[in-house]
Amino acid sequence: MEGLILKNKSNLYQIESKTDHKLYEAMARGKLKQGDISPVVGDVAEFTVTDAESKSAVIEQILPRKMYSKRPKMANLTQLIFVVSSKDPKPDLLLLDKQLAFAEFLSVKAAIILNKTDLDKKQQFRMIKEVYQKIGYPVIETEAKTRKNIDQVRQLLNHEITAFSGNSGVGKSTLMNAIFNQEVAEEGEISSKNKRGKNTTTETCLYSIGIESYLADTPRFFYF
Ligand SMILES: Nc1nc2c(ncn2[C@@H]2O[C@H](COP(=O)(O)OP(=O)(O)OP(=O)(O)O)[C@@H](O)[C@H]2O)c(=O)[nH]1
Ligand SMILES: [Mg+2]
């Protein structure tokens, strides 16, 4: 059978069957590792069901990757959405530029979310939006906490495998929960000491959002 890897914890993978969308807990065959290709989230794999009742399976082979990112480890993304917050943490435009360059290098689509508009007292977002729209990137201003402009984000996700990328605390998991209209991802607090996030999300995970559309919550930003 063929399936998409949604989650990974050490040698255990959650894989979604392409045909009936059932979920299986799978291990990777030893020989896969010898070839130095550990399966990662986003991989399409051939697998064999070892126990239908407990939904256990074994991954036999990884199909050729259309895209691969080393940090964080993910395969076959078609789009990266870079999330920037106006405050706590403040916008890091150099990091944003590096990430946009990385998206171009990977040949995936790129878009920008400016989150925490409610905290944008200095109205920095207006300038940031103008600059990045001018060079051709879609830019959406959001307030994830109150779900403002979330519909615009949803439209970008159709028929794409998307990952959010951005500093800890910018609101990636809060955006995920707003998009899915329920708590799928764990949201963290901002440390009162350094006003940064505390790396609440520790594992990469793909969530299905409609036909052939998936969204990943990732712990870090995408980088060379
Ligand atoms: N004021 C305000 N706070 C927000 C908004 N969106 C998210 N937050 C808060 O910002 C904090 C961090 O949000 P998370 O969603 O955990 O951030 P993250 O990007 O997933 O962080 P990591 O998982 O650590 O990478 C939480 O306390 C959220 O409630 C917003 O639009 N406005
Ligand atoms: Mg998170």
Side-chain angles (χ1 to χ4, degrees), residues 54-68:
S54 67
K55 296 265 178 0
S56 306
V58 59
I59 296 171
E60 308 282 1
Q61 199 185 332
I62 300 301
L63 300 193
R65 291 169 174 158
K66 297 191 183 99
M67 170 273 184
Y68 180 71

Side-chain angles (χ1 to χ4, degrees), residues 122-136:
K122 293 186 206 148
Q123 302 211 315
Q124 274 177 299
F125 275 177
R126 202 178 286 171
M127 178 275 290
I128 297 173
K129 188 173 181 180
E130 205 183 295
V131 168
Y132 288 91
Q133 268 184 339
K134 243 184 212 163
I135 50 176

